Amino acid sequence: MLLEALYHVPRDKWAYAYDSRTIHLRVRTKKNDVNSVVAMTGDKYDWKSTYFEITMDKAASDEMFDYWEAEVLPKYKRLSYAFRITAGTETTYMLDSGIYHYCPAPTGGYYEFPYIHEIDVITVPEWAQDAIFYQIIPERFANGDPSNDPEKTEPWGGQPKMDNFFGGDLKGVLDHLNDLADLGINAIYFTPLFKSPSNHKYDTVDYKQVDPHFGTNALLKEVVEACHAKGIRVMLDAVFNHCSEQFPPFQDVLKNGEKSKYKDWFHVNKFPARIENGIATYDTFGFYGNMPKFNTANPEVKQYLLDVAEYWIREIKLDGWRLDVANEVDHHFWRDFRTVVKAVNPEAYIVGEVWSDSLSWLSGDQFDSVMNYPFAEKVLEFFNGGMDGATFSNRMSSLLMRYPQQTNEVVFNMLCSHDTPRLLTRVGGDKRKQKLAVVFLFTYMGTPCIFYGDEVGITGDVDPDCRKCMIWEQNKQDRELYDFYKMMIHLRKKNKALREGRFRFLKADPGNPCIIYERANADIHFTVWMNNTGQKQTLSHPMVTTDWRDALSDEQVPPVNGVMNITLDAYGYRILYRKIAK
């Protein structure tokens, strides 16, 4: 047994309260090195009568490690515990005080979870687990009111550029809510709506005014009310890392320099604030001089932005905020942001834009979720033939071990966005690969999001090409693809096991790009079979029960002699299910 690989700490993602009664424990061991891990648990004040052993499940594996997991329901909400780890004839005990080849007397030196305080439990909005998001760039979705078009608005459907306009607005969204309801989505994520000189609106001038080219504050309220009437939640984009150079306080800094009362609202490194040799003398988003960075530690700035966050939650009954460039804003700000937002709407869904491991924002005091770009990159690499099943399994399992389970259940999963090439473009224009990726999106843990137009076959390379106008003429849409998206949305909404059930790979072999995985809760068990090759393949896996049915056609699919054999076309898939007997 490789002792150096053993790892556990009594906090973070390794030991956490899942709810007010349940503690989840995780242990890491070297891959394929250990036969079993047993959690030895009890109450430190009465170990003898509360002692209980739990054999931990091997929940995931990556290239180097296995991860073991157990669910514990301590009788008195507190827990002392140690781990008994067995490899062949070798037995090791892992405690907070160290690693031993004998079992130290309880409970001195044991790990402790002192008490499950309900206020400390990481809580996320329950509705987010059931949500299917649809991301909309308002300027490119639909032009419902030509009277508010910007000057030099170009004809709908033209080639997007960094600085051109096509006239999309909130009236256009309102006009097409029935289309979105027909598709089946139940949540919308809008990119920024507030007053800004650009087409993308990530450079805000007025945080409390809807951009006049989109409509009015009253119209936004009408859109949200209409969405709510159809069971559709609404999440807006908050740009609190930076603003536009036209933002009035920054204009005051440009005008008055060190005498400006707003000089400490920004990170001005040298006055006057200006561009010198292509670099601003003040901190910016990236190196964009037109987007000065806020000093969010400044009490006046913090209060101004928190007032904005609270204003829209109250004013339009907003359901959530997506936070732009969230990782470049200080943690103190986000803790206060959560307090303010949740005080008004405890069920508000807070999603941060962080492109890498985000655990430090997901401990229950800042965000509920993050945009899961690592998910998109790994999924698309796999379905583009960049790795075999074993590698894909390792990498996806590693992602699941990044966060506590309640976070995994609502992490914001997407396959493309306004910041990446379009999905169909990313899979080389092969609609079969697009479908495989979408099946995985809708049958994996987390909250799925569709980028507007992917469901009708819109293509697009890197920004700005990915921000094309929505296609509304049905004869120009891929209606077969649309029906496929509609079918997958319906399947996920109909089955809680696809939204809350455990996820596990059943077959993912080295050198083989075909995979089988499962989702299951207490009521229903799904298996998903995928042929990620250009040739017909037959996939086989042992199945104990004979009551399997096709999830889409509901026809019976029995195994033969305890083995299920599924033949799939090139880049084909099949979804099976069985009801679990009570």
Side-chain angles (χ1 to χ4, degrees), residues 144-210:
D145 183 4
S147 70
N148 63 19
D149 288 359
E151 291 184 18
K152 300 181 180 179
T153 292
E154 299 178 16
W156 194 259
Q159 182 61 39
K161 300 174 185 176
M162 298 300 292
D163 57 357
N164 63 348
F165 294 85
F166 295 101
D169 51 34
L170 286 172
K171 181 61 165 58
V173 175
L174 196 60
D175 291 343
H176 288 284
L177 281 185
N178 285 338
D179 295 301
L180 297 181
D182 178 73
L183 179 62
I185 63 96
N186 54 17
I188 293 174
Y189 153 38
F190 285 110
T191 56
L193 293 168
F194 308 129
K195 187 177 180 181
S196 156
S198 67
N199 56 29
H200 55 73
K201 309 301 178 189
Y202 281 98
D203 48 346
T204 308
V205 174
D206 188 336
Y207 283 84
K208 289 188 177 180
Q209 181 185 350
V210 169

Side-chain angles (χ1 to χ4, degrees), residues 313-324:
I313 293 281
R314 289 190 186 277
E315 182 69 14
I316 64 172
K317 303 297 187 290
L318 187 64
D319 299 296
W321 284 108
R322 182 265 189 186
L323 308 171
D324 190 56

Side-chain angles (χ1 to χ4, degrees), residues 362-424:
L362 295 169
S363 298
D365 60 344
Q366 295 174 70
F367 308 156
D368 298 311
S369 177
V370 289
M371 299 188 75
N372 200 1
Y373 282 104
F375 165 87
E377 295 306 315
K378 290 171 175 58
V379 169
L380 290 169
E381 184 179 355
F382 174 65
F383 290 114
N384 276 321
M387 63 178 86
D388 61 16
T391 304
F392 183 56
S393 170
N394 288 337
R395 294 183 182 176
M396 297 309 298
S397 298
S398 181
L399 278 187
L400 285 176
M401 291 296 104
R402 278 187 171 184
Y403 307 130
Q405 181 176 326
Q406 55 263 61
T407 300
N408 284 330
E409 290 169 347
V410 299
V411 69
F412 199 79
N413 293 333
M414 66 281 169
L415 295 169
C416 64
S417 74
H418 63 291
D419 285 325
T420 71
R422 287 269 179 176
L423 175 55
L424 187 53

Side-chain angles (χ1 to χ4, degrees), residues 148 170 209-212 214-222 312:
N148 63 19
L170 286 172
Q209 181 185 350
V210 169
D211 193 287
F214 290 162
T216 63
N217 291 17
L219 180 57
L220 175 57
K221 188 172 186 177
E222 182 182 349
W312 289 109

Side-chain angles (χ1 to χ4, degrees), residues 46-103:
D46 187 6
W47 180 262
K48 185 176 180 180
S49 67
T50 60
Y51 180 71
F52 189 74
E53 291 191 356
I54 302 172
T55 300
M56 304 181 75
D57 294 325
K58 187 189 291 187
S61 300
D62 59 25
E63 282 88 350
M64 293 187 291
F65 302 110
D66 291 327
Y67 299 89
W68 305 78
E69 199 167 56
E71 181 177 277
V72 188
L73 281 79
K75 185 175 182 179
Y76 300 108
K77 295 188 177 182
R78 55 183 177 252
L79 190 70
S80 291
Y81 61 97
F83 301 104
R84 184 173 70 242
I85 305 169
T86 303
T89 59
E90 182 182 3
T91 298
T92 296
Y93 296 85
M94 185 163 68
L95 284 66
D96 196 27
S97 59
I99 296 173
Y100 304 87
H101 291 291
Y102 63 93
C103 182

Side-chain angles (χ1 to χ4, degrees), residues 59 96 199 219 266 277 311 357 370 432 440 489 515 560 575:
D96 196 27
N199 56 29
L219 180 57
F266 308 94
N277 300 319
Y311 173 80
D357 191 321
V370 289
R432 300 170 302 175
F440 193 82
I489 290 171
I515 58 172
V560 177
I575 306 171

